[in-house]
Amino acid sequence: QVQLVESGGGLVQAGGSLRLSCAASDRTFSNYLMGWFRQAPGKEREFVATISPSGGSTYVAESVKGRFAISRDNAKNTLYLQIDSLKPEDTAVYYCAASASSRGVARAETYTYWGQGTQVTVSS
């Protein structure tokens, strides 16, 4: 079982940047498709970005493309999400997730393991 722990969230002003991290406990981290999702108050969980097990392929949601970048360091068992030009509408709890499947990468149901989330709050 993979345990995931997110960090790096916080309160930032609009226009600022954050780098979220997700540390995985399992040495087989490099075997998993990894993703980031977010959930704002009163809204459904939303896909943000995903990255292939090797890191060679990424897919970012259109709504955040150009501002969000996903990456991973398999040697460190860590996933990252770089967020630039933050907007108040980016305020949400951000979750990382792991999947052994590569199908339906933007669907939350694809992912088996989830972290507890890290809060990102953007002030205007």
Side-chain angles (χ1 to χ4, degrees):
Q1 185 173 356
V2 179
Q3 293 184 330
L4 303 172
V5 179
E6 301 95 335
S7 61
L11 173 63
V12 295
Q13 289 189 332
S17 297
L18 279 176
R19 188 193 197 198
L20 306 184
S21 298
C22 171
S25 63
D26 201 298
R27 295 180 182 178
T28 60
F29 172 76
S30 61
N31 294 341
Y32 290 94
L33 173 81
M34 298 298 297
W36 286 100
F37 290 76
R38 67 183 181 183
Q39 189 165 18
K43 295 188 177 182
E44 293 187 353
R45 192 163 295 190
E46 175 190 19
F47 167 77
V48 173
T50 188
I51 187 167
S52 63
S54 69
S57 179
T58 63
Y59 173 55
V60 179
E62 286 296 324
S63 61
V64 299
K65 190 172 288 186
R67 298 191 300 117
F68 287 34
I70 187 171
S71 62
R72 67 192 295 165
D73 186 336
N74 286 341
K76 295 182 179 180
N77 291 345
T78 304
L79 175 73
Y80 303 101
L81 184 69
Q82 178 68 39
I83 310 175
D84 297 322
S85 302
L86 277 156
K87 303 176 180 180
E89 52 263 43
D90 294 322
T91 295
V93 177
Y94 284 72
Y95 298 90
C96 67
S99 172
S101 171
S102 60
R103 296 185 175 183
V105 299
R107 298 174 56 205
E109 304 80 60
T110 295
Y111 297 82
T112 305
Y113 305 107
W114 292 81
Q116 83 291 346
T118 186
Q119 176 72 47
V120 172
T121 303
V122 184
S123 63
S124 57

